[in-house]
Amino acid sequence: MDRRCAELLPLVCSVLADPKQAPSDDTCLEKLLDWFTDLTAPDSSLLEKNPCLITLITSVCTSKTAEPSIISFALKLAGLLASTEEGFYVLKQQNVLESTFDQEGWSKSSLWEDATVRSGWVQGLRSMVQHQEAMLFLFKKGLIKVVLRLQTDKSLFVASTANQLLAHILNFGELTARCTSPENGGKTEPSVLHKDSRGRPECPEWDDGIVEVIKHVEESLVSGIPLHTCQSLKLVALSLTHCQPHVREMLWQSTVVATEVLLGNGLSSLTQQFMEVLQAAARTPLCNNSESGILTLMETMLCTLKPTQAIPFATGIVQLENCPQSLKKKALGVILLPLELVTVSTDLQELRSDPVEELGFLRSAVEEQLSQRTSCVSVLCLSLSSTAELSSLHLEIPAQSVIPSVTTVLKVCLGMSFSSSPSTSVLRNLIGCSKVQKCALDALANLSQYSESAVYKREVFSILLHYLNSPDIDSTVLQKAFQVILKWLCTCSELPPQDLFPVLKKRLCDIRWEIRDSSLEFLTQLTSDFQENRSYCETFSSSGVPDLLLTLLTDPESYVRASAILALGRTVGIIGKEGVPKSGPVLQEDLARQFVDILAQDTEVFARRAVMRVFTLWLTTSHPASEELLSSVLALGSEDLDWEVKVHTLELAEILINQTLARTGHSTCPYAVIPATHSSGANLTESLHRLQHLKIFAVLLKGLFDCDRPVAQRACSLLLSLKEVITESEVCDLHGQSWVEGVLKEHLEKLDVGADSRKSVGLAGVLSVLDLENMQKNLGQRSDHLENSPHSLMEDILAATCISPEDNVVDCY
């Protein structure tokens, strides 16, 4: 804690302790707690140096008129300060902890009725119980009984916090027997340990406390009160994977019998909690113990859950590492069953005997849900989403049957005809359903990674082209279809289908701008992936698409114009390739001039940003533009009103700087490859003059003083890099350039040079005057770093006491 804060802290504590002055806004209190959390550390001596904190806690917690928010703050602060053993001993010696967390005192106070106070009490204990002495204090003082009551508090927030505290207690590391040593100021030291029959150190308070918690769990599970049962199931799920082995065994033994009874009673409202408990148990060594009954319970759940509950549960089972293959196989069958039944409905495939026929207990329930439109969509989306999730994790699934099933679902949704009339309600429910289409496309994209996928590529591309050609396709579905095509082309190492470009031309003229935009994005990515393939280049050049791209530069929608710019920027290299037939006057020089006009005239920022990105792309892919055009682009970009355009301008400037200096054996980029033929410093002055001719220095200095911080940060970083390269001997006369006059006036008077010398000042001179290192440091700070400091926070709290509550509009942030 710095000196200024230490001086204000006693005043702030006295204000908080005074009910007439305490702030009504508790956001400042939470901010103070965050600050104290940063200050709390072993050997921090925070309490010794700031006794006002103890006075504050004692005063507030014994007050009968304090605001609930202030009491909650004091309780949390007490727990936070006691979270270290040093702080715990200080508070314990002064009897602060006993009075602060005294259960009898709070139970008699009307303030306890306020949920804010109860929440602060629990959170204070949760913060404190980080070491053994705090845990023993909790058990010895009987506070565990209060926590167990609060687990079912009427306030859900208090109940949840109490549950987290109980889970922390159960998950706490092994305690050892301790005894008090008066010679050590009342601190406790390890004693001669007594061992139980298992060789563990005995600690009666710890053992009794754990037994009390587990007994409470067991009673709650059979209480018949849904809230109590639900909370205890949540506690078991939170605790099983992290608690000590002997605690885990005790907790599971008290849970398993009650769980079997509850499952038999068909309490569907607690299904989610049952699933979480079983999945947590399956991730522990209990799963390897056949006597634990976990696997039997999981199989029972699969057999009794509704399909919409069984599928997510089955997905969790398949992802378990130590689960038997037989159970995983059955869980996978549950996930795929809706897909199988849709496929059977088309008469294109018979029901597989393995593992679906083993799921007769679930088949009738799934068929019933598929027969109704709402539930049909819900259960099928779950099946497809789970398939996508499992395949994204590279888990083993029967891709040779799943891929045809997914493509069949896509055909059904599109209303394609089958060998027999699609008269079943299942098929009617799916026609035109975009939600199912999107889930199926997600699954199909992930299924492309399986080795079996190559066999189905022709069928997959066929159905995807049907989607691209469908006149009433949803725009988001079409976008996903484009993504799936790219994924399958990449994994199957295939060229785009011959029928793709005619369909793409149609989509580029679609009345919906979203589809035009998605088509352009797809084309840009497609060209990026296949621009080195001669066959693709020839097909693209003769397809008529380049002419369409030019017309889209004047599209009424700015997103489309931006995407057209990016597409043309990517595809222009194909048109000029040797041996590739040209289609119209599409040359880079013509495009570059059009792009400069767009940068100067387009009123929407998206197109202007796209222009800057294209010029950056060209410079990094051996498609340089003329210096005249680059100079215009840099000048226009640096004057733009949009900060992203200005940042892109600086990115372009950085590439030009690196490319120019690299020719002389210099670079501002630490990873640049410098040709060995150039000597260090050779032709540096000439390179600097080229950069000056491009007006790059004007762009950098203008950016340095820009009002948008990202722009100034980027410019400052580039100037710092240049400063390391340029020496005083490399003079670049900047006198007379408009952008430097302000810099000369504002900064160069700091130089001890005469007016005549300033007239011929060089770039190195300007950079040496500017305190770039300090500017970079300041630019790296948050804009509210002063107002958001602990000192400012305490000043705000003190200032708030000087004005009336209705005028108190202090922003503690």
Side-chain angles (χ1 to χ4, degrees):
M1 186 184 302
D2 63 37
R3 179 184 56 80
R4 295 192 308 158
C5 290
E7 291 174 352
L8 286 183
L9 186 58
L11 295 174
V12 171
C13 287
S14 64
V15 166
L16 296 178
D18 186 351
K20 298 179 181 179
Q21 299 188 82
S24 57
D25 182 11
D26 61 357
T27 55
C28 64
L29 303 178
E30 293 300 322
K31 199 69 177 176
L32 274 178
L33 282 174
D34 291 341
W35 178 47
F36 285 126
T37 301
D38 294 336
L39 294 174
T40 304
D43 304 320
S44 64
S45 64
L46 182 63
L47 286 173
E48 286 84 348
K49 294 181 179 178
N50 301 280
C52 58
L53 294 174
I54 297 178
T55 304
L56 169 64
I57 293 169
T58 304
S59 174
V60 170
C61 291
T62 55
S63 171
K64 299 185 182 300
T65 56
E67 289 291 325
S69 60
I70 299 293
I71 296 175
S72 179
F73 166 77
L75 289 165
K76 294 174 188 176
L77 179 60
L80 181 62
L81 296 173
S83 62
T84 64
E85 292 197 36
E86 292 79 4
F88 178 86
Y89 292 133
V90 172
L91 293 176
K92 186 177 180 182
Q93 286 173 352
Q94 301 191 31
N95 294 320
V96 175
L97 294 178
E98 284 81 353
S99 61
T100 299
F101 294 104
D102 177 35
Q103 58 168 327
E104 292 184 6
W106 285 116
S107 63
K108 297 175 182 177
S109 171
S110 59
L111 291 167
W112 190 249
E113 296 301 314
D114 194 297
T116 306
V117 174
R118 299 196 302 276
S119 175
W121 190 87
V122 178
Q123 289 186 67
L125 284 180
R126 176 65 180 85
S127 297
M128 181 177 70
V129 185
Q130 304 300 320
H131 50 87
Q132 178 165 305
E133 297 308 320
M135 184 69 74
L136 291 176
F137 172 83
L138 184 147
F139 285 132
K140 287 180 180 178
K141 297 299 179 181
L143 303 183
I144 192 66
K145 299 181 185 298
V146 185
V147 178
L148 291 173
R149 287 200 299 271
L150 293 177
Q151 188 205 23
T152 54
D153 193 86
K154 57 186 177 181
S155 165
L156 293 179
F157 186 76
V158 174
S160 175
T161 308
N163 230 15
Q164 292 171 16
L165 173 56
L166 289 170
H168 177 71
I169 292 170
L170 291 174
N171 294 338
F172 199 78
E174 195 88 44
L175 267 72
T176 57
R178 312 277 277 192
C179 68
T180 302
S181 172
E183 294 80 15
N184 195 26
K187 293 186 179 182
T188 58
E189 296 292 340
S191 66
V192 177
L193 301 182
H194 301 283
K195 304 289 183 83
D196 64 10
S197 59
R198 300 187 182 187
R200 293 186 295 103
E202 287 185 342
C203 186
E205 296 88 358
W206 160 256
D207 291 336
D208 292 345
I210 292 298
V211 169
E212 186 173 1
V213 174
I214 293 176
K215 184 179 179 182
H216 167 82
V217 169
E218 189 173 6
E219 292 174 350
S220 297
L221 291 176
V222 296
S223 66
I225 304 174
L227 175 61
H228 293 196
T229 304
C230 179
Q231 284 294 90
S232 287
L233 286 172
K234 288 181 179 179
L235 175 58
V236 174
L238 284 170
S239 307
L240 276 176
T241 54
H242 301 292
C243 55
Q244 294 291 317
H246 71 283
V247 176
R248 183 187 298 121
E249 291 175 10
M250 294 167 57
L251 184 60
W252 180 248
Q253 288 173 4
S254 68
T255 302
V256 63
V257 176
T259 301
E260 290 173 343
V261 172
L262 290 168
L263 284 173
N265 293 336
L267 294 177
S268 58
S269 61
L270 299 173
T271 297
Q272 183 62 36
Q273 284 70 44
F274 286 135
M275 291 192 295
E276 290 174 359
V277 166
L278 290 175
Q279 288 175 344
R283 291 192 291 270
T284 70
L286 290 169
C287 192
N288 298 325
N289 183 359
S290 58
E291 297 179 359
S292 67
I294 293 175
L295 299 178
T296 303
L297 281 172
M298 295 180 85
E299 194 163 347
T300 301
M301 288 282 284
L302 278 177
C303 297
T304 56
L305 290 173
K306 296 177 181 178
T308 51
Q309 297 169 328
I311 293 173
F313 183 54
T315 305
I317 291 175
V318 175
Q319 295 181 51
L320 294 174
E321 292 183 3
N322 55 347
C323 184
Q325 286 299 316
S326 58
L327 183 57
K328 283 191 176 183
K329 188 176 180 181
K330 183 169 287 188
L332 194 58
V334 170
I335 295 168
L336 301 178
L337 183 57
L339 277 174
E340 295 282 348
L341 293 176
V342 171
T343 303
V344 170
S345 299
T346 65
D347 292 337
L348 293 181
Q349 183 178 319
E350 294 182 358
L351 188 67
R352 291 189 301 121
S353 59
D354 183 28
V356 176
E357 284 198 349
E358 299 176 12
L359 304 175
F361 56 88
L362 192 61
R363 179 176 177 178
S364 58
V366 173
E367 287 178 335
E368 182 181 352
Q369 292 210 332
L370 289 174
S371 66
Q372 304 171 20
R373 179 170 178 80
T374 303
S375 57
C376 173
V377 171
S378 178
V379 73
L380 194 53
C381 284
L382 277 174
S383 177
L384 290 164
S385 298
S386 293
T387 302
E389 180 181 349
L390 297 178
S391 54
S392 70
L393 298 172
H394 305 281
L395 296 176
E396 185 178 346
I397 62 174
Q400 71 278 4
S401 60
V402 176
I403 294 174
S405 294
V406 174
T407 56
T408 297
V409 169
L410 286 169
K411 290 177 182 177
V412 172
C413 291
L414 210 55
M416 297 174 65
S417 60
F418 297 97
S419 56
S420 61
S421 176
S423 57
T424 65
S425 57
V426 176
L427 305 184
R428 290 197 302 271
N429 290 335
L430 297 179
I431 293 176
C433 181
S434 60
K435 188 174 181 179
V436 173
Q437 288 172 336
K438 285 184 278 190
C439 289
L441 288 168
D442 285 338
L444 192 60
N446 290 339
L447 287 166
S448 65
Q449 66 189 322
Y450 290 90
S451 58
E452 301 91 333
S453 64
V455 178
Y456 302 99
K457 59 186 178 183
R458 190 178 299 276
E459 182 182 357
V460 168
F461 287 136
S462 175
I463 183 62
L464 291 175
L465 285 172
H466 275 92
Y467 266 75
L468 298 186
N469 227 351
S470 177
D472 54 354
I473 194 74
D474 183 85
S475 60
T476 56
V477 173
L478 184 76
Q479 187 178 32
K480 282 187 179 291
F482 279 137
Q483 294 167 355
V484 177
I485 289 177
L486 290 171
K487 194 79 174 283
W488 275 74
L489 287 174
C490 178
T491 54
C492 296
S493 301
E494 283 285 308
L495 282 173
Q498 290 292 327
D499 299 336
L500 179 60
F501 280 106
V503 177
L504 195 55
K505 285 178 63 178
K506 173 183 175 182
R507 288 307 181 187
L508 288 172
C509 300
D510 198 284
I511 192 172
R512 291 167 288 181
W513 73 263
E514 297 92 343
I515 289 183
R516 299 196 302 276
D517 189 54
S518 297
S519 303
L520 287 165
E521 290 177 349
F522 169 73
L523 178 63
T524 304
Q525 185 59 53
L526 191 69
T527 303
S528 177
D529 293 342
F530 292 96
Q531 60 187 349
E532 300 303 324
N533 185 282
R534 185 182 183 85
S535 177
Y536 173 82
C537 294
E538 291 176 351
T539 303
F540 170 78
S541 297
S542 59
S543 66
V545 170
D547 296 326
L548 269 178
L549 296 181
L550 286 172
T551 64
L552 290 172
L553 287 178
T554 57
D555 194 276
E557 175 55 53
S558 62
Y559 288 108
V560 177
R561 295 198 301 275
S563 295
I565 291 168
L566 294 173
L568 279 164
R570 174 63 69 176
T571 59
V572 70
I574 292 178
I575 309 300
K577 275 197 173 183
E578 185 178 350
V580 176
K582 296 178 174 61
S583 175
V586 184
L587 298 174
Q588 183 179 341
E589 293 78 5
D590 299 332
L591 275 178
R593 292 188 182 91
Q594 289 190 56
F595 289 167
V596 171
D597 291 340
I598 291 171
L599 186 61
Q601 300 170 15
D602 202 305
T603 57
E604 297 287 343
V605 298
F606 305 109
R608 304 201 302 273
R609 291 173 186 171
V611 167
M612 297 307 305
R613 289 173 60 188
V614 166
F615 276 100
T616 301
L617 172 69
W618 284 351
L619 281 181
T620 54
T621 54
S622 303
H623 294 97
S626 67
E627 288 194 6
E628 179 186 356
L629 281 171
L630 288 173
S631 180
S632 299
V633 170
L634 289 168
L636 289 168
S638 65
E639 296 286 350
D640 202 280
L641 297 178
D642 179 61
W643 71 268
E644 285 194 42
V645 172
K646 288 183 283 191
V647 168
H648 288 319
T649 304
L650 291 169
E651 291 171 355
L652 184 65
E654 182 177 16
I655 294 170
L656 286 167
I657 291 170
N658 284 327
Q659 290 180 348
T660 303
L661 295 182
R663 300 170 188 169
T664 66
H666 293 78
S667 177
T668 61
C669 176
Y671 308 107
V673 179
I674 308 300
T677 56
H678 291 289
S679 60
S680 177
N683 301 320
L684 179 58
T685 303
E686 180 183 346
S687 296
L688 292 176
H689 278 293
R690 178 176 183 261
L691 295 177
Q692 183 182 356
H693 178 70
L694 288 168
K695 300 181 181 178
I696 281 180
F697 303 135
V699 172
L700 298 183
L701 266 295
K702 192 172 295 180
L704 182 65
F705 300 105
D706 195 272
C707 58
D708 289 307
R709 188 166 53 150
V711 180
Q713 280 180 306
R714 193 63 179 263
C716 187
S717 177
L718 287 174
L719 285 168
L720 276 169
S721 301
L722 275 174
K723 187 177 179 181
E724 295 177 6
V725 173
I726 299 171
T727 63
E728 287 292 342
S729 60
E730 318 296 344
V731 178
C732 198
D733 191 359
L734 304 178
H735 178 64
Q737 297 191 31
S738 59
W739 59 267
V740 84
E741 296 303 325
V743 178
L744 291 171
K745 183 178 180 180
E746 182 178 354
H747 295 282
L748 293 189
E749 62 265 14
K750 300 175 185 176
L751 287 178
D752 187 18
V753 294
D756 294 337
S757 300
R758 293 182 193 175
K759 291 181 181 178
S760 60
V761 68
L763 177 61
V766 174
L767 294 182
S768 65
V769 171
L770 296 174
D771 190 2
L772 294 172
E773 290 79 8
N774 191 49
M775 291 179 73
Q776 186 182 49
K777 180 182 177 182
N778 292 334
L779 288 168
Q781 291 180 319
R782 289 172 48 178
S783 57
D784 63 347
H785 67 278
L786 292 176
E787 293 74 15
N788 202 29
S789 66
H791 184 266
S792 175
L793 174 65
M794 290 193 287
E795 284 186 329
D796 284 346
I797 293 174
L798 294 174
T801 63
C802 302
I803 55 180
S804 60
E806 55 270 16
D807 294 331
N808 184 5
V809 290
V810 173
D811 182 4
C812 294
Y813 290 88

